[in-house]
Amino acid sequence: MSIVDTPERRQLRELTRAFVTREVLPHLADWERAGEVPRELHATAAKLGLLGIGFPESVGGSGGDLLDSILVTEEIIRSGGSSGLVAALFTHGIALPHMVAAAGGQSGGLLRGRLGGGQLRGDDDLVDRYVRPTLAGTMIGALAITEPDGGSDVAAIRTTARRDGDHYVVNGSKTYITSGVRADFVTTAVCTDFPGSGELSLLVIDKGTPGFTVGRRLEKLGWHCSDTAELSFVDVRVPVTNRIGEENTGFLAIMQHFAAERLSLATQAYATAQRCVELASRWCRDRTTFGRPLASRQLIRHRLAEMHTRAEAARAYVHEVAARVAAGEPVVTEVAMAKNVAVAACDQVVDQALQLHGGFGYLRDAEVERHYRDARILGIGGGTTEIMNEIIAKGMGL
Ligand SMILES: Cc1cc2nc3c(=O)[nH]c(=O)nc-3n(C[C@H](O)[C@H](O)[C@H](O)COP(=O)(O)OP(=O)(O)OC[C@H]3O[C@@H](n4cnc5c(N)ncnc54)[C@H](O)[C@@H]3O)c2cc1C
């Protein structure tokens, strides 16, 4: 029995599946064309309690831990949704946790203790102004770390925030920001010392603040229903009360929350693989060539068996690592390995699944075509495969 297979979680799985069937599947192709999901979807997901999964009730969440969040992500994709939909609808999973943690709460079962320590003055206020409305589906948030000069080297961030009385003055730019077009606020990593010093802080910056402009909507290979933007900051005045935690604790906060983001991406990877195994199996049962169903041929059955094995092995490992993270174990290396294992499984499986669909697999009408395109980002976002290997090598003492 899977560790996520409890009676409560089976209910959560059914709720998620019903949500996808009723609210997503009839519209997903339109959202892919439009380049974004509608705001109403956030409100609907919030009413069902899905948006708040993994966030404590004390900040407006639905409770539950990292495994519950993983289960919802898995079920969205296995019910015919997509990793792009998860990225668009659950961007708050990366935009909010720093605020929740700084206010003394925990999200996703991940955080123990407070960043910056002690009673934090502004952070309860940030919870009221940003966390609660976002989990209620009335606001959209984004997380901006990556800059045009580079994303892998987080410490090298060049967007600066200079203190001027009770404000910071922010200058710089960010790119590839998920939900950046629609976001009402952006949790922004800024350098609060000289550029490249690694002294980072997190500021919540409201859309509409003078000097903050959202650039063009970036066109992408996949994740079409997830809007992605460039952001520019020119002398943007941000109140000090919009800082998350203490000054210069941003790098630590970003690193701590990478675990949840990476496990979410790992989940998107193995769930996409599982969905593609199902799609390919169905296709191979139905498709006849040379007078026999494809699935009657040993070569095809073995290929499907190998795809299924890869997806299941990745799922088991991601669940094990997630359970250890939720229990508070410091498993940074294992999180990196889980992401790479799941992404490798996904890459192989989506490629094979498309191949088994023949020419139809290459068409926009084929669901497998969308997964093939969407999957390519999973080894890039949240830390690339190469950066995960660096972490693993370090963990090996190399
Ligand atoms: C669709 C999409 C959504 C995204 N959403 C967000 C978001 O919401 N917020 C956000 O902040 N960012 C977001 N990103 C950015 C993403 O996190 C970065 O693209 C990623 O971290 C890699 O950074 P980079 O693109 O600057 O590549 P670079 O850091 O320039 O790396 C380029 C290549 O070099 C490799 N490399 C780099 N350093 C090393 C090294 N030391 N050793 C070996 N190889 C190395 C990398 O693995 C990669 O293959 C998104 C990106 C995309 C495409």
Side-chain angles (χ1 to χ4, degrees):
M1 188 169 112
S2 158
I3 49 173
V4 295
D5 203 11
T6 63
E8 294 78 19
R9 287 186 173 139
R10 273 199 293 276
Q11 270 183 0
L12 183 58
R13 201 180 274 285
E14 279 162 26
L15 177 73
T16 308
R17 182 165 281 263
F19 164 74
V20 172
T21 306
R22 208 175 43 240
E23 308 291 345
V24 173
L25 295 188
H27 312 291
L28 187 53
D30 290 339
W31 300 338
E32 289 274 302
R33 276 189 289 274
E36 61 183 46
V37 299
R39 279 178 174 263
E40 302 82 68
L41 189 69
H42 292 253
T44 307
K47 273 192 201 107
L48 292 170
L50 292 175
L51 225 51
I53 288 290
F55 288 87
E57 289 171 22
S58 58
V59 299
S62 318
D65 64 11
L66 182 63
L67 289 167
D68 295 298
S69 308
I70 280 180
L71 182 146
V72 169
T73 298
E74 179 185 311
E75 196 56 36
I76 285 178
I77 294 171
R78 293 200 63 183
S79 318
S82 66
S83 58
L85 178 83
V86 171
L89 186 58
F90 290 84
T91 319
H92 62 279
I94 55 175
L96 299 182
H98 321 84
M99 282 185 244
V100 177
Q106 299 175 7
S107 69
L110 265 180
L111 281 168
R112 309 272 176 253
R114 293 164 185 227
L115 290 166
Q119 293 297 319
L120 297 170
R121 357 109 312 264
D123 292 304
D124 289 338
D125 178 50
L126 294 182
V127 166
D128 288 339
R129 284 160 57 210
Y130 299 104
V131 178
R132 290 182 198 285
T134 305
L135 296 180
T138 57
M139 266 186 139
I140 293 174
L143 173 70
I145 297 174
T146 306
E147 303 188 341
D149 284 343
S152 298
D153 187 359
V154 174
I157 278 174
R158 307 190 71 79
T159 296
T160 54
R162 182 177 47 80
R163 186 79 182 250
D164 180 23
D166 54 4
H167 282 75
Y168 286 102
V169 180
V170 178
N171 281 285
S173 54
K174 300 285 178 182
T175 193
Y176 314 140
I177 305 309
T178 297
S179 295
V181 176
R182 296 178 306 145
D184 303 297
F185 66 90
V186 182
T187 301
T188 311
V190 294
C191 181
T192 18
D193 204 323
F194 62 90
S197 64
E199 297 288 11
L200 306 184
S201 303
L202 290 170
L203 299 181
V204 186
I205 306 183
D206 291 308
K207 185 181 250 175
T209 310
F212 170 24
T213 47
V214 178
R216 66 196 169 97
R217 181 189 295 264
L218 300 173
E219 293 188 6
K220 313 184 291 297
L221 171 70
W223 277 16
H224 284 178
C225 68
S226 167
D227 57 293
T228 312
E230 290 174 333
L231 311 177
S232 160
F233 305 94
V234 179
D235 292 333
V236 180
R237 293 184 69 80
V238 180
V240 170
T241 48
N242 273 30
R243 190 188 66 219
I244 302 174
E246 299 297 326
E247 194 169 276
N248 295 337
T249 59
F251 187 78
L252 177 64
I254 291 166
M255 290 303 140
Q256 281 179 315
H257 291 284
F258 263 146
E261 180 178 1
R262 287 171 183 162
L263 286 171
S264 171
L265 289 161
T267 302
Q268 293 170 45
Y270 79 70
T272 299
Q274 287 180 308
R275 176 69 180 174
C276 286
V277 172
E278 282 163 20
L279 293 172
S281 301
R282 200 183 306 156
W283 174 269
C284 290
R285 275 196 206 98
D286 294 345
R287 184 74 171 177
T288 297
T289 66
F290 301 94
R292 279 165 51 190
L294 277 174
S296 70
R297 299 180 192 279
Q298 192 180 50
L299 178 100
I300 302 290
R301 290 209 315 278
H302 284 198
R303 191 178 290 178
L304 288 167
E306 283 166 9
M307 290 159 62
H308 181 54
T309 306
R310 281 200 185 101
E312 285 303 303
R315 180 189 60 82
Y317 187 55
V318 172
H319 283 193
E320 190 209 300
V321 174
R324 293 175 66 185
V325 171
E329 282 188 51
V331 285
V332 177
T333 309
E334 287 79 358
V335 168
M337 292 195 290
K339 182 167 187 277
N340 278 5
V341 163
V343 166
C346 182
D347 285 349
Q348 286 178 323
V349 169
V350 292
D351 183 66
Q352 293 293 311
L354 189 146
Q355 184 73 13
L356 287 169
H357 279 74
F360 181 60
Y362 198 66
L363 299 191
R364 273 290 144 89
D365 285 347
E367 185 185 328
V368 73
E369 184 259 4
R370 190 182 67 230
H371 292 306
Y372 181 86
R373 286 183 292 101
D374 283 356
R376 194 60 188 85
I377 182 61
L378 301 174
I380 297 173
T384 64
T385 299
E386 291 78 10
I387 296 302
M388 294 305 102
N389 279 337
E390 272 300 298
I391 293 169
I392 297 161
K394 239 180 236 159
M396 293 166 69
L398 295 170

